[in-house]
Amino acid sequence: MRDLSRRDLLRATAVGAGAVAIPSMIAGSSAIAADGPGWPSDTTFPPAQLTGRIVRPQSPDYAEASLGWDELFVHYPLVIVFAQETRDVVNALTWARQHNVALRVRSGRHNLEGWSNVDNGIVIDVSELKDVHIDSATRTAKVGAGLTQSEAVTALGEHDLAATTGTEGTVGLSGATLGGGFGFLTRYLGMACDNLIGVEIVVAAGADGAKVLEVDPWNHSDLLWALRGAGNGNFGIVTALTYKVAPLKSVAYLQATWPGLDDLHGVFDTWQRTAPLTDPRLGTQLEIHRNEILLFGVLAEGSEAEVRTLLASILSIGDPTVTVQIGGWGDTYAGFQIPTEDEPANWKFFSQFTREPFPEKAISVIRAFMRDAPTDDSNFFTQAFGTGAQRHEPFGGAAFPHRDALFYSEPGAGWGTRGEPDSGDALTPIAQAWIAEFSQALRPYVDGAYVNVPNVGMAEWETAYWGRNFDRLRRIKAKYDPHNVFQYEQSIPPATH
């Protein structure tokens, strides 16, 4: 993850297997200098060797190494490279190009359609890049791309600092951030990608090589703009991220539970008309199951009295069970995580944004589908946007386009038992049909989609994810990845003119 000096490069080229690939025609120069010009498109690189922790099909840990969080998708890559430093990523990308094999980039293994894995190709996994450097004086943090959201929250919490992350701790921080990234602190601190101020990224170079770029608002600023919301596997392989972080000493965390669905109309309608528009320190989520309604709220630097007051209109409906916890954000965040082994093995989601409150008919659709949900783990999840810091783009802008949303939502179906590959087979068609029908029924009331929760089969997914930004993203893709090395089922294609 550290910067490589010219001396490092010359030493690397002398040892063969651990070498950073550089063009033989200029072997004495700083081949991966952050600010140097791009290589001519016909420049060829010396043969690369894979370095890092290498896992192949004959390796005893191959089955575990090739498995993602969503066990609905199973792939059999030719090789998995767990990078230990940036040099390993450079070598792996160069090797992939020179051997003409498909590649995928992986961090937290939570790609919800299995697109961070590939059959008969190479998976370049950055999950073991976990360096953390926090500067409390400048309120910045540079972290390896392998940190999970939970690890990042914990590390920052030790310094009474925070940045926006998603709710699920095992999700990779880099993947969440590069697609946008939102959670309880979104209305307070903006999107996760808004807090991203620097990136170390390995990109394709020349005809068959790779190089490292250091990206910030003044260097490759167009690429930083693209990485803030469209960076997952489209332009290169991110190995380190630098965030601006904010002081956060304590939060008030509220959870309310209503049994059954009888109070759904009142709870949902009151929530959508109040929670997205209240004090921006308050982030809220509704999670609707077939047997209960859950409300979660986090008030930054708030008290129990304040959070209860801000949510009083919702809490006055029915007779919910309400708890409030006051504490540091790191401890609070850790407290509501569910161990992965306790989660269903298989998942299917559909993402959508909403700009106007749902009418009564839409809430009735939610109730009808949740009443017939395939499992207790299936849910309808919402995240408040509305007024708040996420409405304002960061310095230099960002590709994430859904800033004017009132809220985000997704139906999700979870089924099957982890470690038992066939346990959910009978429910798979039922769950997939339920999601498809649910999302179709809500279509009149929603707009757009979230690239981190991809919608397979969606027409015009390009504008659903990125709106009017898509053409600009294609031009940036053509500049940094003209050969379309980084591609998958819904990747951004380079502009052709």
Side-chain angles (χ1 to χ4, degrees):
M1 195 180 97
R2 65 186 178 85
D3 296 336
L4 298 176
S5 67
R6 183 172 184 273
R7 180 178 299 174
D8 291 326
L9 287 168
L10 293 175
R11 183 185 302 116
T13 58
V15 299
V20 176
I22 60 175
S24 57
M25 60 184 284
I26 45 176
S29 69
S30 182
I32 61 172
D35 300 315
W39 301 118
S41 61
D42 59 349
T43 301
T44 58
F45 285 54
Q49 299 289 330
L50 295 178
T51 58
R53 183 166 73 86
I54 312 300
V55 177
R56 300 184 185 275
Q58 61 270 32
S59 302
D61 56 345
Y62 177 81
E64 187 281 329
S66 61
L67 189 65
W69 172 79
D70 193 340
E71 296 181 9
L72 184 62
F73 306 100
V74 179
H75 292 283
Y76 301 95
L78 176 70
V79 61
I80 305 168
V81 174
F82 289 89
Q84 308 300 298
E85 57 183 338
T86 300
R87 178 187 288 112
D88 300 331
V89 177
V90 173
N91 288 343
L93 177 54
T94 304
W95 183 93
R97 300 189 69 197
Q98 292 175 350
H99 289 81
N100 194 30
V101 299
L103 70 90
R104 293 291 190 275
V105 184
R106 189 176 75 178
S107 56
R109 306 196 195 188
H110 275 259
N111 186 288
L112 298 178
E113 289 297 329
W115 294 340
S116 61
N117 207 339
V118 63
D119 292 321
N120 303 316
I122 182 172
V123 173
I124 304 174
D125 188 300
V126 298
S127 64
E128 295 179 7
L129 300 178
K130 293 186 180 292
D131 288 356
V132 177
H133 302 282
I134 297 172
D135 189 330
S136 297
T138 62
R139 293 180 181 170
T140 59
K142 183 175 183 179
V143 302
L147 252 64
T148 64
Q149 294 186 134
S150 182
E151 290 168 339
V153 170
T154 298
L156 291 171
E158 292 174 353
H159 298 264
D160 289 332
L161 297 169
T164 301
T165 69
T167 306
E168 301 293 334
T170 58
V171 170
L173 177 69
S174 59
T177 299
L178 297 172
F182 54 77
F184 285 117
L185 301 181
T186 299
R187 301 182 65 246
Y188 184 50
L189 300 179
M191 303 293 296
C193 67
D194 297 346
N195 295 292
L196 184 65
I197 58 174
V199 174
E200 179 185 87
I201 184 172
V202 179
V203 299
D208 62 353
K211 65 180 178 181
V212 177
L213 297 180
E214 294 288 349
V215 176
D216 59 41
W218 300 274
N219 299 286
H220 310 290
S221 58
D222 55 346
L223 183 54
L224 179 62
W225 176 88
L227 293 174
R228 288 169 166 168
N232 284 325
N234 278 307
F235 303 97
I237 305 170
V238 171
T239 50
L241 309 96
T242 301
Y243 295 86
K244 66 175 182 181
V245 295
L248 183 59
K249 290 187 177 180
S250 71
V251 300
Y253 171 62
L254 179 145
Q255 178 176 332
T257 306
W258 290 261
L261 298 176
D262 289 347
D263 293 311
L264 179 59
H265 278 266
V267 170
F268 195 100
D269 190 54
T270 306
W271 172 82
Q272 70 175 345
R273 296 179 187 279
T274 59
L277 308 175
T278 190
D279 190 323
R281 292 179 300 148
L282 178 66
T284 59
Q285 299 172 352
L286 271 182
E287 192 172 298
I288 302 159
H289 294 258
R290 65 185 182 185
N291 55 5
E292 64 182 359
I293 305 165
L294 301 171
L295 168 68
F296 305 98
V298 170
L299 180 62
E301 306 292 6
S303 67
E304 177 174 352
E306 283 182 295
V307 72
R308 284 181 176 272
T309 298
L310 290 171
L311 294 172
S313 59
I314 309 170
L315 300 178
S316 67
I317 297 167
D319 186 23
T321 300
V322 181
T323 62
V324 179
Q325 172 187 343
I326 307 295
W329 178 226
D331 291 338
T332 302
Y333 188 93
F336 59 67
Q337 298 305 309
I338 298 173
T340 299
E341 57 269 21
D342 294 341
E343 298 178 324
N346 309 311
W347 288 90
K348 193 73 174 178
F349 301 90
F350 194 93
S351 64
Q352 55 212 3
F353 290 89
T354 296
R355 287 165 175 77
E356 299 290 337
F358 276 179
E360 184 176 340
K361 185 175 180 180
I363 301 172
S364 294
V365 167
I366 297 170
R367 176 170 180 166
F369 274 91
M370 289 314 308
R371 184 186 59 225
D372 298 329
T375 64
D376 287 343
D377 290 295
S378 301
N379 66 84
F380 185 79
F381 166 85
T382 67
Q383 167 75 56
F385 272 59
T387 57
Q390 83 288 341
R391 284 199 170 248
H392 308 291
E393 289 195 354
F395 175 71
F400 180 83
H402 306 292
R403 297 179 181 277
D404 61 342
L406 182 67
F407 60 86
Y408 166 83
S409 64
E410 63 186 32
W415 71 99
T417 303
R418 291 193 174 271
E420 299 179 16
D422 302 325
S423 65
D425 285 359
L427 272 174
T428 295
I430 297 171
Q432 301 230 25
W434 180 79
I435 284 285
E437 293 167 4
F438 197 168
S439 59
Q440 180 66 27
L442 284 176
R443 185 162 294 184
Y445 315 107
V446 300
D447 178 34
Y450 182 37
V451 68
N452 280 355
V453 184
N455 295 342
V456 175
M458 172 178 251
E460 301 181 351
W461 53 266
E462 304 94 332
T463 51
Y465 295 146
W466 297 296
R468 292 177 295 177
N469 291 334
F470 187 65
D471 288 342
R472 182 181 177 188
L473 289 167
R474 290 194 65 189
R475 293 192 296 271
I476 296 171
K477 172 77 167 182
K479 177 179 177 182
Y480 290 95
D481 185 21
H483 299 295
N484 203 19
V485 172
F486 297 97
Q487 58 176 288
Y488 54 92
E489 287 78 350
Q490 289 184 348
S491 59
I492 297 170
T496 55
H497 59 275

